[in-house]
Amino acid sequence: MNLSKVVPMAAVVTALITLSGGAWSEDSATGKLLPRTRPAVSVDNWSFQSALMGRTYDISIGLPLSYVAEPEKNWPAIIVVDGNRMFGMALDLTRGLSGSQEVEDLFVIGIGTPFEDGQDSWVRRRVHEFSPANEWPMTDPFGAVVKQLCEGQYQLTPAECVGGAPAFLAFIRDELLAVLHRQYRLDADKLGLFGVSAGGFFASWAVLQQGSPFHNYIISSPAMAYGDGEIFRLEASYAENHKDLKANVYMAAGMLETNSPFLEGVGKIVSGMAGFSGLLATRNYPNFRLQTEMHPGLGHSDAAAATFAIGLRRLYGK
């Protein structure tokens, strides 16, 4: 029933003001900042306790914009391993590009530590979960920095502090994705992984793992000094034992990182990425696709958004 056709408009307005407690009374909220929940369109937020990792994660899931309208379709998905910092950016860029029909509509899934656990929990988790499980003596420059962080700030032995990459990949594959496939309509053949810095190393490492569930990788400014050359030993071993590598990879970093004493001088981000890319290019794997670029005028932090946006275009473009 249309109330405006039954009750005079003045009476409707009077009733609304009365019901709201008087919109212009002295108790009005006008001119005040009042707390409210931030609206998020088609974003699910979950807490997930991992038996494999012994940790609780915040899992944020941005659904494809057409998810409800196409109930029979399975959708591509990209997992953002550094969800605390990168989920919002990745979701906004994905929805902007998919909304303009430039890339596929897809899930964006962020994995992060609970915000209430604080900064230390976020840093410790990244150092542990994104680093390889090799015999790393930590006598190299980057290893010395990590060792000081582990023993000095966190009071942990190196064995407790690093080496979690295999378990973290198993968590994503065997625990998280197993649940998500039951809960959502994911396309298992179009899964992607996005990592930045230490997360970029993890994504690079995952490219060469036999049990990786991913087909597409967007890698920004990978900290290739993790494990003191482990990524190159792993690449050589893979090449010796395999004739093909089924993966699509987009890697990039910022030009400003080239002259950074820490990022390049210690972390080997630019030279490590170039070396890794160059080796992969020589292997001539039939089902491997690789694109590597440098972003002019950008550094470690702002290159991540450019890498993700271009990576989406290259790997999920229409």
Side-chain angles (χ1 to χ4, degrees):
M1 180 182 294
N2 190 334
L3 290 178
S4 64
K5 293 183 179 179
V6 179
V7 184
M9 183 56 66
V12 173
V13 173
T14 301
L16 289 174
I17 292 174
T18 303
L19 289 171
S20 64
W24 304 104
S25 69
E26 292 184 2
D27 295 330
S28 170
T30 303
K32 298 177 182 178
L33 292 173
L34 301 177
R36 63 169 301 196
T37 301
R38 182 177 184 271
V41 178
S42 298
V43 176
D44 294 342
N45 294 292
W46 305 96
S47 180
F48 189 95
Q49 188 169 349
S50 167
L52 277 171
M53 300 304 298
R55 289 191 174 112
T56 298
Y57 294 95
D58 278 351
I59 308 297
S60 299
I61 301 176
L63 279 70
L65 292 173
S66 302
Y67 189 73
V68 175
E70 299 185 50
E72 303 303 319
K73 181 176 178 178
N74 291 332
W75 301 84
I78 189 160
I79 287 187
V80 180
V81 295
D82 223 334
N84 296 76
R85 294 287 178 91
M86 298 295 164
F87 173 76
M89 175 273 290
L91 180 63
D92 288 345
L93 285 173
T94 299
R95 288 188 168 172
L97 290 170
S98 64
S100 59
Q101 301 297 309
E102 294 174 87
V103 304
E104 294 184 72
D105 204 358
L106 67 157
F107 280 96
V108 178
I109 301 167
I111 303 174
T113 54
F115 283 91
E116 59 269 22
D117 288 356
Q119 177 81 359
D120 279 353
S121 176
W122 174 73
V123 174
R124 285 176 58 184
R125 173 242 165 173
R126 297 181 82 250
V127 171
H128 177 244
E129 295 176 357
F130 299 161
S131 58
N134 69 316
E135 296 297 327
W136 186 11
M138 296 189 173
T139 54
D140 59 297
F142 188 71
V145 172
V146 175
K147 185 176 182 180
Q148 174 59 37
L149 182 70
C150 292
E151 296 180 347
Q153 185 169 341
Y154 299 129
Q155 304 294 303
L156 297 172
T157 67
E160 296 171 314
C161 193
V162 299
F168 184 58
L169 181 61
F171 150 70
I172 295 175
R173 182 189 62 228
D174 300 334
E175 289 188 315
L176 181 60
L177 281 174
V179 171
L180 294 182
H181 278 299
R182 293 195 297 268
Q183 187 87 8
Y184 300 96
R185 288 178 276 114
L186 305 181
D187 186 342
D189 294 325
K190 302 186 78 172
L191 296 179
L193 187 68
F194 172 53
V196 180
S197 194
F201 174 88
F202 173 77
S204 303
W205 174 90
V207 169
L208 300 169
Q209 298 304 306
Q210 197 71 19
S212 174
F214 303 106
H215 302 83
N216 296 326
Y217 299 83
I218 301 176
I219 300 170
S220 183
S221 303
M224 292 303 204
Y226 266 106
D228 192 18
E230 177 65 9
I231 195 70
F232 300 105
R233 292 187 289 272
L234 179 62
E235 191 281 331
S237 176
Y238 186 93
E240 185 177 348
N241 294 287
H242 298 82
K243 299 299 183 182
D244 198 6
L245 176 57
K246 295 181 180 180
N248 302 312
V249 178
Y250 177 76
M251 287 195 296
M255 285 291 293
L256 299 182
E257 298 181 80
T258 306
N259 297 319
S260 168
F262 180 71
L263 296 173
E264 170 53 27
V266 177
K268 305 300 180 188
I269 284 175
V270 177
S271 60
M273 182 184 76
F276 183 57
S277 174
L279 285 170
L280 288 171
T282 69
R283 305 305 183 187
N284 297 315
Y285 296 123
N287 290 293
F288 182 64
R289 301 291 179 269
L290 170 67
Q291 300 173 73
T292 306
E293 294 182 329
M294 295 294 295
H295 302 308
L298 298 182
H300 192 62
S301 298
D302 47 359
T307 299
F308 186 78
I310 297 171
L312 278 182
R313 290 179 179 274
R314 300 286 174 81
L315 304 182
Y316 293 95
K318 287 192 171 181

